[in-house]
Amino acid sequence: MKKLTDPMDSLDLTNAKTLPMTEDVTEQNSTLLKRFFSIFAAGPVKPGESYGAPGQGKSLAISLFTTFTLLFVWHIATYFQLVKPLFLPSPISVIQRFWEVATEGFGNATLLEHTGWSMMRVFSAFFLALITAVPIGILMGVNRIVRGLFDPIIEFYRPLPPLAYLPLVIIWLGIGEVSKVTLIYLAMFAPIALSARAGVKSVAIEQIHAAYSMGASRWQVIRHIILINALPEILTGLRIGVGFGWTTLVAAEMVAAQAGLGFMVLNAAEFLVTDVVIMGIIVIGIIAYLFDMFMRYLEKKLVPWKGR
Amino acid sequence: MSRLQIHDVSVRFPGMNGGEAVTALSGINFQIEPGEFVVALGASGCGKTTLLNLMAGFIQPSEGYLTLGDSGISGLPRVACGLELKDQITGPGQDRGVVFQKHALLPWLNVLDNAAFGLKLQGVGKEERNERAADFLKLVGLEDFHNHPVYQLSGGMQQRVGIARGLTNDPQMLLLDEPLGALDALTREVLQELLLEVWQETQKMMFFITHSVEEALFMASRLIIMSPRPGRITHDFSLNFNKIFLETRDARQVKSMPEFIEMREKVLGIIHGDEAENGGAH
Ligand SMILES: Nc1ncnc2c1ncn2[C@@H]1O[C@H](COP(=O)(O)OP(=O)(O)O)[C@@H](O)[C@H]1O
Ligand SMILES: [Mg+2]
């Protein structure tokens, strides 16, 4: 902790014996405090980067701090009954509910079944969007006719909240699985298609010129240059798209669902079983977060050259 | 080997946002002979890149036409000025390799695959194209970097890959648009010498753009000086400092020859005269 090369420090050391104990303790405390706060430091700064881009450095410790503080405040608020359990059940009772619903079920289905149904809906919609929105977005980028065809449709419905067109989807497609998947699919389609289109547009003209001057055909330029160049933005679009999918899930499961996380939450809310509501929200959040982590991992593996 | 000819070419760009049209090039007439190293020098905005893009076939002239040997590159009547053109190429092609200032390598491919990319486009088998690309990577001093991702290389090494890639297709000429412009001074000098050696080795026609007077004099067997508004060629010099370098291999000595310094002053005079004329806008 102390560098002997520093004359001031070595002076301190020689005087240490004569210092009273209390001094020593406060010093220890202060280094402990310093150590504690150093957890939140930005991490080692790259040499020459003390005036680098704002916001550099680690933020994980701070995020953990926020999370645990929230849990702590939640616990305190319920422990001392500052809020009625009807409005905010304690973390413990939410965990108990988690176990209960996982083993015994809620609303005629176990947690696993609820989760399975929801994931089935979100990921079938995701798969459909992957095989339709990506090609259409790419075509919008490389072909003015396709762009002209789809631009007004996408730009019109994109800002609409899915709840606004849910009734129409139900009138057209009924109350079965098709309308649920369709609603989620529609919410995903626009961001995925638009990011694929933006990816196509992001290609450097030099790369296209270089390929042409090496004898590439138009199709080869699209295949070897434009598609690969668009990959990073397509992956970002897929991430955002799945996010929209989970956002729309509850709306999709509002009508005539027998199982599903969204259904579970809505059903629990009807009977004021608040701990199941909160548990459902947390489960949805965790699944969405895990999938996002997976997409980021995929991004690192597939496009390590992103942003270079 | 055939020569590249530019016949009375003008290029006008429509003005941006309905502004006035820009005459980027006007009345360009010149030709590049086999084995020549032509350097184009001029302030930015005088149409150098436009001229290179024309030669590469990326853009079409508003007037006039270009030919390479007895085939046209762009903007031409099939029978032009008594020349019966064999076949009409109307765009970019493998006979003209291009080296850009930056952003032109493919970051998802390693060094070898970048260099072999042109051959891959033509359907050359993996083994053969890697062999041929390896030859040119050796020529530019990258024989030990085949498997490196290009985005991890320094700027100078990236440009070496760009040069090797331009050569692997065995083009008739190499078009280089400020290929050394983004490099630091030392790397730049190393690559100047490398390019001259490549030129000597391959005997390709070179068209090289720069706005460094010293670089232009050192590299050129023919130096054309361009002037803006409208972009045109105002001077055309024959030089041999590059040959002296290739004999002596002493760049510093060449660049401090009295003739070199005298020429440098003359060219600087021309360019500064231009600037005064144009109100020093560039
Ligand atoms: N695509 C374009 N559209 C409109 N104007 C252009 C375009 N490309 C170049 N110009 C104009 O033509 C002139 C010459 O440009 P350029 O050939 O890039 O010059 P240089 O390479 O010598 O700097 C400039 O005034 C530039 O603004
Ligand atoms: Mg330029």
Side-chain angles (χ1 to χ4, degrees):
Chain A
M1 261 182 289
K2 283 189 173 172
K3 280 176 280 174
L4 283 170
T5 44
D6 193 333
M8 287 306 284
D9 274 354
S10 51
L11 222 154
D12 252 316
L13 270 180
T14 49
N15 289 344
K17 278 176 234 148
T18 58
L19 286 173
M21 277 299 282
T22 48
E23 284 268 349
D24 241 345
V25 171
T26 52
E27 188 174 306
Q28 250 178 6
N29 275 346
S30 81
T31 54
L32 263 178
L33 266 179
K34 259 189 222 161
R35 270 211 200 163
F36 176 71
F37 281 113
S38 74
I39 296 173
F40 301 110
V45 178
K46 275 191 245 160
E49 289 246 323
S50 34
Y51 284 85
Q56 284 182 334
K58 293 185 283 182
S59 61
L60 178 68
I62 302 172
S63 301
L64 287 175
F65 177 75
T66 321
T67 312
F68 283 110
T69 309
L70 276 175
L71 285 174
F72 185 69
V73 170
W74 179 14
H75 177 72
I76 293 295
T78 50
Y79 186 81
F80 293 103
Q81 305 210 324
L82 302 176
V83 197
K84 276 190 193 158
L86 176 65
F87 294 112
L88 186 67
S90 73
I92 312 278
S93 71
V94 169
I95 291 168
Q96 278 167 348
R97 271 302 180 161
F98 177 83
W99 186 245
E100 204 181 301
V101 177
T103 50
E104 290 158 34
F106 181 89
N108 300 327
T110 63
L111 185 60
L112 202 66
E113 284 168 326
H114 286 304
T115 310
W117 275 102
S118 290
M119 282 178 69
M120 194 276 291
R121 284 168 191 142
V122 171
F123 288 109
S124 353
F126 178 67
F127 178 72
L128 287 177
L130 182 70
I131 59 171
T132 54
V134 171
I136 286 174
I138 289 168
L139 284 173
M140 283 174 78
V142 297
N143 186 303
R144 70 185 180 89
I145 296 171
V146 180
R147 181 166 63 245
L149 282 174
F150 282 92
D151 206 42
I153 305 173
I154 292 182
E155 288 303 337
F156 174 74
Y157 96 82
R158 188 174 62 99
L160 296 177
L163 269 177
Y165 49 81
L166 172 64
L168 198 57
V169 172
I170 288 172
I171 291 172
W172 284 348
L173 300 172
I175 52 174
E177 285 308 308
V178 179
S179 65
K180 295 181 183 61
V181 173
T182 303
L183 191 77
I184 302 174
Y185 166 79
L186 285 174
M188 288 176 169
F189 184 90
I192 295 177
L194 290 182
S195 62
R197 172 184 165 177
V200 167
K201 289 285 162 210
S202 73
V203 54
I205 187 69
E206 286 91 345
Q207 287 181 352
I208 292 180
H209 277 171
Y212 275 128
S213 71
M214 287 185 280
S217 64
R218 184 178 266 275
W219 167 239
Q220 279 178 319
V221 166
I222 293 177
R223 198 175 90 117
H224 291 289
I225 308 287
I226 292 178
L227 286 190
I228 304 180
N229 245 309
L231 206 53
E233 296 208 30
I234 291 174
L235 285 172
T236 309
L238 291 177
R239 261 176 71 190
I240 297 173
V242 167
F244 275 91
W246 288 109
T247 318
T248 316
L249 179 70
V250 180
E253 291 178 349
M254 259 167 66
V255 178
Q258 299 305 317
L261 291 169
F263 159 78
M264 183 183 84
V265 169
L266 289 168
N267 197 8
E270 237 166 86
F271 298 108
L272 295 178
V273 193
T274 318
D275 37 15
V276 172
V277 173
I278 291 182
M279 187 269 283
I281 290 171
I282 292 176
V283 170
I284 294 177
I286 288 177
I287 295 174
Y289 183 73
L290 286 181
F291 186 76
D292 199 61
M293 297 263 280
F294 170 70
M295 288 300 286
R296 280 196 233 181
Y297 167 81
L298 215 59
E299 211 167 60
K300 261 195 200 139
K301 286 283 152 204
L302 286 179
V303 293
W305 38 272
K306 184 186 178 184
R308 320 265 189 144
Chain B
M1 280 285 189
S2 40
R3 64 158 72 105
L4 178 113
Q5 283 182 285
I6 300 177
H7 305 264
D8 229 355
V9 159
S10 301
V11 175
R12 272 182 300 278
F13 289 113
M16 309 232 186
N17 309 323
E20 233 176 282
V22 181
T23 306
L25 289 174
S26 158
I28 304 286
N29 262 304
F30 95 115
Q31 45 186 288
I32 301 179
E33 303 292 341
E36 256 188 333
F37 198 123
V38 177
V39 175
L41 177 71
S44 67
C46 68
K48 305 183 295 293
T49 298
T50 306
L51 185 56
L52 183 137
N53 284 344
L54 273 171
M55 294 182 187
F58 300 146
I59 58 173
Q60 305 281 315
S62 314
E63 281 154 32
Y65 59 95
L66 291 84
T67 56
L68 179 62
D70 49 11
S71 49
I73 296 170
S74 57
L76 64 159
R78 201 174 275 272
V79 180
C81 296
L83 264 156
E84 181 83 36
L85 297 167
K86 249 203 230 140
D87 47 11
Q88 183 164 341
I89 313 165
T90 48
Q94 298 150 246
D95 47 3
R96 285 147 289 141
V98 186
V99 181
F100 299 85
Q101 183 166 10
K102 50 184 176 184
H103 303 313
L105 295 177
L106 309 179
W108 52 89
L109 299 179
N110 65 20
V111 169
L112 185 65
D113 290 342
N114 260 284
F117 185 68
L119 298 174
K120 183 183 174 184
L121 291 174
Q122 275 127 56
V124 177
K126 194 175 177 94
E127 212 161 294
E128 190 193 338
R129 67 173 188 253
N130 283 354
E131 211 168 283
R132 273 161 70 182
D135 284 346
F136 288 101
L137 285 174
K138 189 160 184 213
L139 186 67
V140 298
L142 288 179
E143 60 269 36
D144 296 331
F145 292 88
H146 285 188
N147 294 320
H148 277 243
V150 285
Y151 58 79
Q152 283 178 2
L153 299 179
S154 67
M157 280 158 86
Q158 290 185 356
Q159 285 311 67
R160 286 171 195 254
V161 180
I163 294 164
R165 180 177 74 172
L167 291 167
T168 343
N169 269 340
D170 195 25
Q172 297 196 39
M173 67 184 305
L174 213 50
L175 304 165
L176 307 105
D177 192 352
E178 303 198 32
L180 314 182
L183 304 179
D184 63 275
L186 282 175
T187 312
R188 192 170 181 150
E189 291 188 354
V190 172
L191 284 194
Q192 287 172 0
E193 298 177 18
L194 177 90
L195 265 174
L196 285 180
E197 283 157 15
V198 166
W199 174 59
Q200 190 185 35
E201 184 77 18
T202 62
Q203 296 291 315
K204 306 272 181 219
M205 289 189 267
M206 299 278 189
F207 181 75
F208 180 101
I209 294 176
T210 180
H211 51 227
S212 153
V213 174
E214 186 160 284
E215 182 166 281
L217 294 175
F218 182 65
M219 310 286 285
S221 48
R222 225 174 110 209
L223 171 66
I224 58 172
I225 299 179
M226 298 180 64
S227 172
R229 271 170 300 243
R232 60 197 187 277
I233 297 172
T234 55
H235 298 78
D236 191 336
F237 298 107
S238 279
L239 299 172
N240 64 350
F241 297 112
N242 56 8
K243 301 241 168 57
I244 300 175
F245 165 75
L246 286 171
E247 276 157 27
T248 63
R249 301 276 159 167
D250 188 344
R252 281 184 59 199
Q253 199 217 321
V254 172
K255 288 177 184 173
S256 54
M257 283 166 62
E259 295 90 336
F260 191 93
I261 292 167
E262 191 184 317
M263 196 64 205
R264 191 180 70 198
E265 291 311 306
K266 185 170 166 186
V267 171
L268 279 170
I270 292 169
I271 289 175
H272 286 164
D274 261 8
E275 269 180 20
E277 219 172 87
N278 285 289
H282 280 279

